[in-house]
Amino acid sequence: FSFLVSQEARLLRQWEDVSLHVQTAEAAHDHAVQRARDRGVMALTRAQFWKDPLQASTCRKLCSELRALYIELNDLRQFVDLNTTGFRKIVKKHVKVTGEGEGEAFLPTVAEMLQPKAKRLDDTLQAVRALYADLAADGDLGTA
């Protein structure tokens, strides 16, 4: 369980860092858009901003980080599922072999411990996927 907790914390910090980097860049873009409007000049749209040669390398780097983060988060999510299934099967086998049903009392406890982690990982995976789609495919989740 400590492996799961430490990996989850590391990946969530990584997500926060990437997300903050994007937010900071977009805040600068929003400021530039406002200045352009004040002067009556056309400003870059959000999609154009990330494709602009000045931002393209940053966008590629962020997309690469998001892909790597998505893979790691997905692996950790599968780890949660496998451990839940494995624990359930071990308990089931123990009950079958020993004839004692006490092991089944642990199943809800394990599920209660892992369910919030699984939900948080699912939510983060969805957020990473959405941000990647925004940066790499103009918001199109299917293309991303």
Side-chain angles (χ1 to χ4, degrees), residues 107-128:
L107 290 176
T109 305
V110 170
E112 288 171 11
M113 287 174 26
L114 294 177
Q115 192 62 31
K117 302 234 175 266
K119 173 79 170 104
R120 192 172 317 125
L121 289 170
D122 287 341
D123 291 347
T124 307
L125 279 164
Q126 185 176 352
V128 168

Side-chain angles (χ1 to χ4, degrees), residues 6-68:
S6 66
Q7 290 301 309
E8 180 190 35
R10 180 182 65 80
L11 291 173
L12 290 177
R13 275 193 311 274
Q14 219 175 324
W15 162 242
E16 289 170 2
D17 290 347
V18 172
S19 180
L20 182 62
H21 191 125
V22 170
Q23 289 172 8
T24 303
E26 288 185 344
H29 169 256
D30 292 344
H31 183 68
V33 166
Q34 188 57 46
R35 283 194 337 255
R37 282 189 190 138
D38 291 346
R39 289 180 283 158
V41 178
M42 290 286 292
L44 295 176
T45 65
R46 185 173 186 243
Q48 291 169 332
F49 169 74
W50 286 112
K51 288 185 172 75
D52 183 64
L54 297 173
Q55 294 298 326
S57 65
T58 301
C59 185
R60 281 191 303 274
K61 180 179 180 266
L62 289 169
C63 285
S64 177
E65 289 177 22
L66 286 167
R67 280 190 302 271

Side-chain angles (χ1 to χ4, degrees), residues 38-112:
D38 291 346
R39 289 180 283 158
V41 178
M42 290 286 292
L44 295 176
T45 65
R46 185 173 186 243
Q48 291 169 332
F49 169 74
W50 286 112
K51 288 185 172 75
D52 183 64
L54 297 173
Q55 294 298 326
S57 65
T58 301
C59 185
R60 281 191 303 274
K61 180 179 180 266
L62 289 169
C63 285
S64 177
E65 289 177 22
L66 286 167
R67 280 190 302 271
L69 180 61
Y70 184 86
I71 290 168
E72 285 192 73
L73 283 165
N74 196 50
D75 288 348
L76 191 60
R77 180 63 174 94
Q78 289 176 352
F79 176 82
V80 169
D81 287 343
L82 287 171
N83 276 283
T84 302
T85 302
F87 187 76
R88 183 181 48 77
K89 288 182 176 188
I90 289 168
V91 168
K92 185 177 176 182
K93 186 70 170 183
H94 173 75
V95 168
K96 184 177 179 181
V97 170
T98 63
E100 298 176 14
E102 295 172 11
E104 291 178 334
F106 291 109
L107 290 176
T109 305
V110 170
E112 288 171 11

